[in-house]
Amino acid sequence: MTQKILDVAVNFPGLKSVLSYKGKSTEDYEVGDILEVPLGRRNALGCVINIHENVNNSIKYKEVTGKENEFFKLSSEEIALYQWISKYYVYSLGKLIFDCLPKHLKRQKEPYFITGKGQDFTFELNEEQQKILVNFDLQNFSQTLIHGITGSGKSLVFFKMIERAIAQNLSVLFLVPEINLTTQFLEFFSVHLEVNVYAYHSSITGGEKFNLWRTVKNIDSAALFVGVRSSIFLPIKNLGLIIVDEEHDSSFKQNDRCQFNARDVAIKKAHLANIPIVMGSATPALENYYRFQNKDNYFTLTSRFGESELPEISVIKNGSEEDDCWPINKSLLQQIESTVSEGYKVIIFVNKLGFSKYLQCKSCYEAFDCPNCSVKLTYFKGREALECHLCEYKEKTPRMCPHCGCLDLFHQGFGVEKVVESLPQFADKIIRFDRDELKNQKDVARVLAEFKSGAKQILIGTQMISKGHNLAGVKLLIILGVDSRLHSTDFRASERVFQEIVQVSGRAGRFGEKAQVYIQSDLRPKFYDFIIDKSFDDFQKDELGHRELLGLPPFQKMAEIVFEGKTEFQAKTKSYQFKDFIEKVSERNHFEVQVRGPISSPIKKRKNKFYWQIYLMSPKNGEISNLLYQVKQTKEALFQDSYINIDP
DNA sequence: AGCACGCCGACT
DNA sequence: GTCGGCGTGCTC
């Protein structure tokens, strides 16, 4: 009898995580089996990815320790997806698989689902909506992008698509960027569809997750799965359609471990399963917008549902520090007053927690820095403390400058607390809406109920406002603190700010009321013209022009490699050594890859560690991953304390 | 990730 | 003299 060799992707972070083992003669093995295998002086979990008989005499094979029958066997399609992710994001296959699989827990909990009521729901689709559905079929892999303004009824199109899949007894995976968006979809879908609806998000416990995997592998009737990023790994049986809502959202990017983008993984998953994928957004990611230009499966929805119109948007100057109502421009006070007295609502959007951005000494200009990070401490008036937003550091607000002894300290910049304080005449009508004030979903629900009922009419808060909430009666919306965000060194800064302004503006005038949005800014970038005119295509085209000129995505593929060191010198040295080596390999093997940097990271010190980084650019898709993969395979030590971020 | 080996500082 | 700090390197 010939000896069977099992190639096993073992759970450890080395790139060469696929090791070969002898099987036990008493046991049968198949590709996809989860095994326990010896690794050094310990055991680890692994997944069989290949079985063959080619014995290599230079390897001393160890024998498999055991088979994990309690675990789920991976299908060849799942393995293919994990292999693609591992190659593209340059991440250990074995580690990836066991990062994604649910942990096998003793405590069992049955997964929760909502039984769909299948109540009749009749609505007229407009011409644009119908056009999308006419040619949509579930037969093969296809990609569709729906670019629809906020409130244009994308969900109705999704609904029709899901209905069709279910009619063919096919399950649907509906991806959303964040949990707070799922509730309204869950409600809508479960009332009108006649299938079980499962929600998948971070608050699902280990036991429930494990059982959900068991369930999705075995259910025969169609079901709908509404989930966040990690739900792309659910091995859903008879999956017939994937929908990615708010496709542009940065929450789809994982920023620890394997830094995949769930939208891109979803596309690959649809491709491997040979099923359609549909993406939707009011502000498509530039990469996607560019990819879909002049394609048949790019659709726009340009009219708002029902009577509603998009709000009118204007840009006005930042408030003057002389005025009592600073940072709000005093010319807006009258509008706030009249909006409130007419019984309508106001939202004020601020990008910063706390009271002031930082504290500074009036005589020597000493500012209070975090001792562990290269950022200034934020002043919180409620707690009378200075706090770091990157680490745990906090201290009581100092009375005098520790540097020169001066007692005159002044505040720079503003946060939510300050904005609330700047409108004392409305104090009894204001709700503060930020992570600091609202600790859980319960708080959020309570406060939103107060706002909806009209008990409170002014909502002042951070990014938490911008997503998903369907609020009636918002006639005035003020956006503060845009300028500092535009000054960021991130090449996506204007794209992100643009997306956020559009998303936030979408909160106003959703139920027929004519609304007004004011953006306070002293800058005059061209993109305000595009925002005011609502010519979103023109913004995208203008931004594409800049990107092309600078050779940035989507015109080139990009990767960012960050090096961590205990000292700045160490981080810097590592990044230079890496650059030298990768440039040599790239040249020698004729890779079309250009190295930019090294450069100190935008925040060069975090939690007492220092960061330097380099960028890799290439006009060819997959080229950077191939180069990195090759270098990492031959010289893994160069990657010690580094983070690879593909398509940052 | 673990878990070894290996080479310098402060302890009985 | 050696106990243990964590840098470096390997795992079929």
Side-chain angles (χ1 to χ4, degrees), chain A residues 431-595:
Chain A
I431 289 175
R432 225 181 93 189
F433 198 76
D434 60 59
R435 159 165 61 79
D436 224 51
E437 185 76 359
L438 314 170
K439 302 288 183 212
N440 51 48
Q441 288 294 114
K442 228 179 172 174
D443 290 348
V444 172
R446 189 197 69 234
V447 152
L448 282 178
E450 275 185 289
F451 190 63
K452 282 180 183 166
S453 74
K456 300 279 172 85
Q457 289 165 275
I458 304 176
L459 197 66
I460 300 178
T462 55
Q463 355 276 10
M464 266 179 94
I465 303 176
S466 66
K467 280 178 194 161
H469 305 293
N470 229 342
L471 305 166
V474 178
K475 256 193 138 170
L476 177 63
L477 201 151
I478 302 167
I479 303 174
L480 306 177
V482 178
D483 291 359
S484 62
R485 305 203 31 215
L486 285 169
H487 279 131
S488 153
T489 53
D490 181 358
F491 75 92
R492 281 185 218 277
S494 35
E495 185 185 0
R496 294 256 162 79
V497 173
F498 182 89
Q499 286 167 345
E500 196 165 274
I501 289 174
V502 174
Q503 294 291 336
V504 179
S505 306
R507 298 310 108 213
R510 286 182 84 91
F511 292 85
E513 58 283 78
K514 185 77 196 125
Q516 178 71 48
V517 174
Y518 289 99
I519 302 166
Q520 284 194 190
S521 173
D522 289 338
L523 304 168
R524 287 287 145 179
K526 229 201 294 178
F527 90 64
Y528 286 140
D529 298 336
F530 304 131
I531 286 178
I532 292 164
D533 298 344
K534 310 199 177 61
S535 47
F536 303 142
D537 283 329
D538 291 339
F539 165 73
Q540 308 269 39
K541 292 201 172 99
D542 182 68
E543 185 63 18
L544 282 174
H546 295 298
R547 300 278 182 88
E548 185 164 26
L549 211 65
L550 297 168
L552 289 166
F555 297 94
Q556 290 207 87
K557 296 295 277 184
M558 179 172 178
E560 177 190 88
I561 323 230
V562 181
F563 298 88
E564 183 186 283
K566 282 191 303 191
T567 61
E568 178 155 23
F569 176 78
Q570 215 180 66
K572 189 175 171 179
T573 309
K574 264 186 221 173
S575 63
Y576 271 99
Q577 282 169 348
F578 187 92
K579 179 196 165 109
D580 289 346
F581 190 81
I582 202 157
E583 264 178 347
K584 271 189 211 115
V585 177
S586 178
E587 260 168 55
R588 204 180 311 128
N589 299 287
H590 311 291
F591 278 96
E592 279 181 62
V593 174
Q594 180 210 349
V595 185

Side-chain angles (χ1 to χ4, degrees), chain A residues 20 46 54 207 215 238 245 280 302 379 409 422 490 518 561:
Chain A
S20 301
N54 313 322
T215 307
N238 296 325
D245 196 27
T302 53
Y379 170 57
L409 306 174
S422 71
D490 181 358
Y518 289 99
I561 323 230

Side-chain angles (χ1 to χ4, degrees), chain A residues 256-418:
Chain A
D256 61 339
R257 297 182 287 182
C258 180
Q259 304 194 38
F260 62 83
N261 185 316
R263 182 238 292 141
D264 299 330
V265 175
I267 294 171
K268 191 68 196 175
K269 186 182 173 102
H271 185 75
L272 288 166
N274 195 29
I275 59 170
I277 178 165
V278 180
M279 293 166 273
S281 174
T283 51
L286 224 56
E287 281 92 334
N288 245 352
Y289 180 81
Y290 180 70
R291 226 159 48 84
F292 276 90
Q293 269 188 336
N294 308 316
K295 293 270 169 62
D296 294 338
N297 45 7
Y298 170 74
F299 298 96
T300 51
L301 296 176
T302 53
S303 57
R304 248 187 163 183
F305 200 66
E307 298 295 294
S308 309
E309 279 175 65
L310 282 175
E312 191 174 310
I313 303 177
S314 335
V315 181
I316 65 168
K317 289 232 164 255
N318 285 325
S320 159
E321 297 211 27
E322 326 278 90
D323 295 331
D324 293 338
C325 61
W326 180 83
I328 291 174
N329 185 313
K330 76 170 173 210
S331 69
L332 292 173
L333 287 180
Q334 184 49 44
Q335 291 226 44
I336 296 174
E337 172 70 50
S338 60
T339 307
V340 169
S341 62
E342 283 166 27
Y344 288 102
K345 289 157 193 166
V346 181
I347 291 179
I348 304 175
F349 185 77
V350 195
N351 68 333
K352 188 95 181 114
L353 284 172
F355 187 85
S356 64
K357 274 191 182 152
Y358 58 95
L359 208 58
Q360 198 166 27
C361 169
K362 221 160 197 168
S363 54
C364 74
Y365 295 104
E366 168 92 351
F368 295 85
D369 289 318
C370 174
N372 312 317
C373 314
S374 58
V375 294
K376 296 191 169 52
L377 297 166
T378 305
Y379 170 57
F380 288 82
K381 191 168 187 178
R383 283 174 246 147
E384 268 308 327
L386 296 178
E387 297 182 13
C388 176
H389 69 282
L390 295 175
C391 73
E392 306 296 287
Y393 184 82
K394 54 187 72 167
E395 61 180 69
K396 272 198 75 63
T397 313
R399 292 276 137 252
M400 65 171 195
C401 171
H403 193 236
C404 70
C406 171
L407 288 166
D408 216 351
L409 306 174
F410 67 105
H411 299 293
Q412 284 286 12
F414 59 86
V416 180
E417 278 185 319
K418 172 68 203 173

Side-chain angles (χ1 to χ4, degrees), chain A residues 160-173:
Chain A
K160 283 284 174 195
M161 291 171 162
I162 297 169
E163 259 189 344
R164 277 196 205 174
I166 288 163
Q168 296 183 36
N169 205 34
L170 295 168
S171 287
V172 177
L173 175 60

Side-chain angles (χ1 to χ4, degrees), chain A residues 235-252:
Chain A
I236 300 165
K237 194 174 173 184
N238 296 325
L239 183 63
L241 169 65
I242 302 176
I243 295 171
V244 185
D245 196 27
E246 307 296 345
E247 144 297 308
H248 67 278
D249 200 292
S250 60
S251 305
F252 283 124

